[in-house]
Amino acid sequence: MEDRKTDDLFDVAVIGGGVVGCAVLRELSRYRLRPVLLEKCFDLGEGVSKGNSGVIHAGFNVRTGSLKARANIAGLKAIYDLAAGLHVPYRKTGKLVVAPDEEGRRHLEELKAQGDRNGTPGLEIVNAEAIRKFEPAVRGKWALYSPWTGIISPYEFTIALAESARRNGAEVRLGRNVTAAESKPDRFVLSTSSGPVSARWVINCAGLWADEVAGMAGSADFRVYPYKGEYLILDKAAGDILRMPIYPVPPRDESSLGIHLTPTMEGPVLLGPSGEYVDDKNDARSTRPVMDMLKAEAFRMVPALGRFPVIHAYTGLRPKIDGPGETGGPADFVVAESDRRPRWVNFGGIESPGLTAAPALAEMVVEIIGTKEALSSKDGFEPGLPDLPRFARLDDGARAARAAADPDWGEMVCRCEHVTRAEVRTAVRNPFGANSLDAIKRRTRCGMGRCQGGFCTPRIVEILQAEGLKPEDITKRGGLSRLVFGRIKP
Amino acid sequence: MTVFGMGKHGNVGVKTQGFATPLERLRDVDVAVIGGGPAGLAAALGASRAGAEVVILERGKRLGGILNQCIHDGFGLALYKESISGPEYAERLMDDVGREGIRVETGAMVLDLSADKILRVNSRSGYSLVRAKSVVLAMGCRERTRDMIEIPGDRPAGVWTAGTAQNLVNLQNLRLGNEIVILGSGDIGLIMARRLTFEGMKVKGVFEILPWVGGLERNVRQCLSDFSIPLELTTTVVDICGRDRLSSVVVSRVDEALKPLAGTEREIPCDTLLLSVGLIPENELSKRAGVELSPATGGAVVDEMFMTSVPGVFSCGNVLQIHDVADWASFEGFVAGKNAALHARGEIPTRGTIVRITPGAGVRYALPQIVRRSAAGVDLHFRVTAPRRNVWIEARGSASGTIFFRRKFPRLLPSELQKIKLTTAIDEDLEVAAHD
């Protein structure tokens, strides 16, 4: 689809629809501005933002004085209320960083001290007995307990931020790959796969491709090194024995937080991630040795998890800007207006704790724009989103009332996660036109259960056709990922 | 679709959340059958013929379950003494259900089952509670997935379980791809190899990790050999490639421990991979009700009446044990349904001394796992762990060593469920074993 008014001038173009881009877009939608978000994939959160642990970090793993630390703590203070207002499910679970021995305990003390300096609330070193009380299945001698850590669905949060921005007048365009940027005196002209887009400001939130996008404007001050993390997901029954994220003492080189166990809102437990520099920014492959290693590491901390089957594997890439072999510890977040290209702002190296920090990082964009021009708040900014009910979370009375009012609430599409046709219908009609199987999955949980889509996929294929798609236009994740090659007989 | 009346037994003991008037959507019934496939239809018939008021709750839009997508023949050989297609088989049972006047709800999914036999049901005609005196579990099974067998690689479109693919092809007229690889030699995979060949797709090979075929021998002949589709045993898929759509798989031979043998990898270009790598009895509702499950079958532990550990809850068909022919699922259904009706009338003892039947050497499982002491004429199902020739099957009393059954079988395959009759009354625990 071609953009109709290609010579339109936007005030701000945000490149990249991950959690940071969407948070930036929402923040901009508070002001009398005309912002647009350009995303090359066919849904939001398709990159770094979907391939992580979904943990709200409390800020003790990051170096005191860094932007990472400031943004993490500021984001922590904002994110729970923000998620509640957007009706994104989250849980303030608390977290344990578990040490097997006394040497580990010394490391925990250092982490606690760092957290205390950063402003992380309520950190405590606890003993084996307390660990058992918190999480009977966890093996460890000492642990750092962080009461403010929590879990959230990172893609649901990302999508909700974009929906909130859109509700407040921002535009979102999917499937728009920015391929070049021309710098004119008063504007940037971005070439995209569907025609040019002009904007006075550009905010580069392109994650793994932030270096290449920055390069288009001649402002490449950093290089992004993709750092792959593989995950496994255990059956939701595992959630019954794990309430909070369990982390090992992190490796000394601070390259990652180590292989940890993270419960999710609906029960499945995440194992991972591994950590490995790769060459390909599209590398999403799971590998046999890492799958085996993840299980071995995770089950060492929580042996009881070994009895639950793996239901899914996924991979995330962290956009590191410190390359392999570089010393001096992990690089800090980069959020800066380009020296060479005024009104062009780059985000670089937004890895963990980027999800938690996103609301705070978004505010920095407003500050940067505010130094150049006066921003005035818009009347009637609506901070929240309507609560879209989930059938699985309704009580008997609410289920009966909904099914009586609309038969689509009575038609079950997903047997594992108990999703109705009404919810799928709403997801298919999302405001961004994201209608791939994965887009529906992230909005409804269809396909995330034990049967991995065996039951719901034929039903969703039917619903998508009822909603007007041709069979050959139904995809797994947009683009060339078509599910079927049309009809057998015309 | 028949919508049946409001309950007449009051709402004592039924806890609902948030209903304005709890009675409003509670309905009572003698026997609720969950699932309207070959087992559930038969169970409803068995229960109705034994005098019970029955309701079938089927989540699909029509009765028949998975039979509807099985458009090949081979059904009915045991029950109707002729070879008919899946839909025809379903139709015969459905005609009987209609003649019996059995109440049927389609598009009705049971979401919860409690130990006191309260069912939560959602359908386009409303969300409601059903209270049954007896329940027959006939939910069937689901397929093992790529993730359960942990195949590494990319995550492209074009990777399907065979049954889901069968739905898309046979019920929705959709073309899966052009070049197909099938992993696993279960019956659905074999049937699909032939089906896709008929529709002009190229099936490049069927690969099986075990040294023997998972499906029936007749299916290997009629679906692979007759079409010159290669079958390779002790071979599995070790990698899946393609960013958006599948572009190839890598297959590798495996050693005795089923681990891939380095150096034997071979890349096969294809756009579609079907997985026929096992079926899992779908016992989510059984677990909700507290039914004891057998790790060997994945289904309920049952007695000779097909009653589970929860009194009044019966199990039959693929939710109890994976069958290789639908007729046998129906046979179980008839018996389970009849006993559910008897239980609803209080005519089945739920207590009493029991003996246990356990698998011994060479036997993967034996079913029923529990028999009421002194029961005679018990039908005993079993599967062997590996193909065997000229093998003795022996059921021996664990305490006395008494032989309750002994027969020589010329050939036994793990893919073929066996049934034998124990003619004498059983008065001690039994072990069923295979000996040369």
Side-chain angles (χ1 to χ4, degrees), chain B residues 369-428:
Chain B
Q369 296 89 346
I370 289 170
V371 174
R372 249 139 264 281
R373 195 181 177 95
S374 82
V378 170
D379 281 330
L380 182 75
H381 297 82
F382 71 92
R383 274 181 197 273
V384 288
T385 52
R388 300 283 286 266
R389 280 182 190 279
N390 300 320
V391 61
W392 288 95
I393 294 295
E394 211 173 70
R396 185 188 286 266
S398 305
S400 67
T402 311
I403 305 282
F404 285 82
F405 178 92
R406 184 175 154 83
R407 189 199 300 162
K408 193 170 191 178
F409 289 77
R411 188 146 178 256
L412 286 178
L413 298 170
S415 60
E416 291 176 357
L417 183 63
Q418 299 293 327
K419 189 157 67 173
I420 56 178
K421 198 174 265 305
L422 304 179
T423 47
T424 53
I426 305 159
D427 53 8
E428 60 176 311

Side-chain angles (χ1 to χ4, degrees), chain A residues 132-341:
Chain A
R132 272 197 300 278
K133 229 177 195 167
F134 279 124
E135 289 287 3
V138 173
R139 299 277 168 275
K141 203 158 179 199
W142 298 99
L144 176 62
Y145 173 62
S146 162
W148 270 73
T149 305
I151 57 173
I152 189 168
S153 155
Y155 43 83
E156 284 182 70
F157 184 53
T158 302
I159 292 167
L161 288 167
E163 290 198 354
S164 172
R166 190 182 171 279
R167 203 174 153 85
N168 289 294
E171 288 184 43
V172 173
R173 294 181 184 174
L174 302 179
R176 300 296 197 282
N177 189 20
V178 175
T179 52
E182 190 187 343
S183 183
K184 294 198 169 175
D186 64 332
R187 65 178 70 182
F188 295 97
V189 181
L190 304 173
S191 303
T192 81
S193 40
S194 321
V197 173
S198 299
R200 295 193 297 112
W201 287 79
V202 171
I203 318 297
N204 168 15
C205 304
L208 288 162
W209 285 268
D211 53 349
E212 289 161 45
V213 170
M216 292 174 197
S219 71
D221 302 323
F222 52 85
R223 186 179 153 191
V224 178
Y225 303 88
Y227 189 72
K228 184 162 103 171
E230 296 183 30
Y231 285 88
L232 295 174
I233 308 181
L234 297 183
D235 187 273
K236 71 189 326 176
D240 294 342
I241 65 160
L242 203 71
R243 282 167 301 180
M244 64 176 76
I246 305 298
Y247 282 64
V249 174
R252 279 283 176 190
D253 68 0
E254 300 176 73
S255 57
S256 70
L257 302 180
I259 292 160
H260 47 267
L261 301 135
T262 314
T264 57
M265 290 302 299
E266 289 79 10
V269 171
L270 314 177
L271 311 184
S274 55
E276 174 197 8
Y277 284 103
V278 292
D279 299 325
D280 181 0
K281 289 177 178 179
N282 289 307
D283 184 348
R285 298 173 63 74
S286 301
T287 58
R288 176 89 266 152
V290 173
M291 291 165 106
D292 293 339
M293 182 271 289
L294 290 178
K295 286 189 281 185
E297 287 288 308
F299 301 157
R300 200 170 41 80
M301 284 195 294
V302 187
L305 284 179
R307 68 173 190 268
F308 300 101
V310 170
I311 63 161
H312 194 71
Y314 70 100
T315 294
L317 293 170
R318 283 159 273 186
K320 282 189 180 294
I321 53 174
D322 45 319
E326 280 179 32
T327 52
D332 203 357
F333 289 161
V334 170
V335 182
E337 186 178 0
S338 166
D339 295 338
R340 276 157 286 178
R341 290 280 181 269

Side-chain angles (χ1 to χ4, degrees), chain A residues 285-286 288 295 311 313 396-397 408-411 415 450 454 458 477 482-483 485-486 488-489, chain B residues 17 19 59 120 122-124 127 147 150 152-155 164 172-173 175 199 239 243 245 282 284:
Chain A
R285 298 173 63 74
S286 301
R288 176 89 266 152
K295 286 189 281 185
I311 63 161
D396 289 327
D408 281 359
W409 282 96
E411 184 177 333
R415 68 179 164 199
R450 294 187 172 130
R477 62 174 79 92
R482 62 179 170 161
L483 276 198
F485 294 5
I488 296 174
K489 296 180 180 70
Chain B
Q17 315 150 310
F19 270 101
R59 64 189 181 190
R120 286 172 159 75
N122 201 21
S123 80
R124 292 189 71 87
Y127 181 83
D147 296 283
E150 298 180 22
D154 294 320
R155 307 205 69 90
T164 299
Q172 299 203 48
N173 184 31
R175 188 178 178 87
E199 294 302 343
D239 202 2
R243 197 195 301 169
R245 176 78 195 197
E282 196 157 79
E284 273 70 18

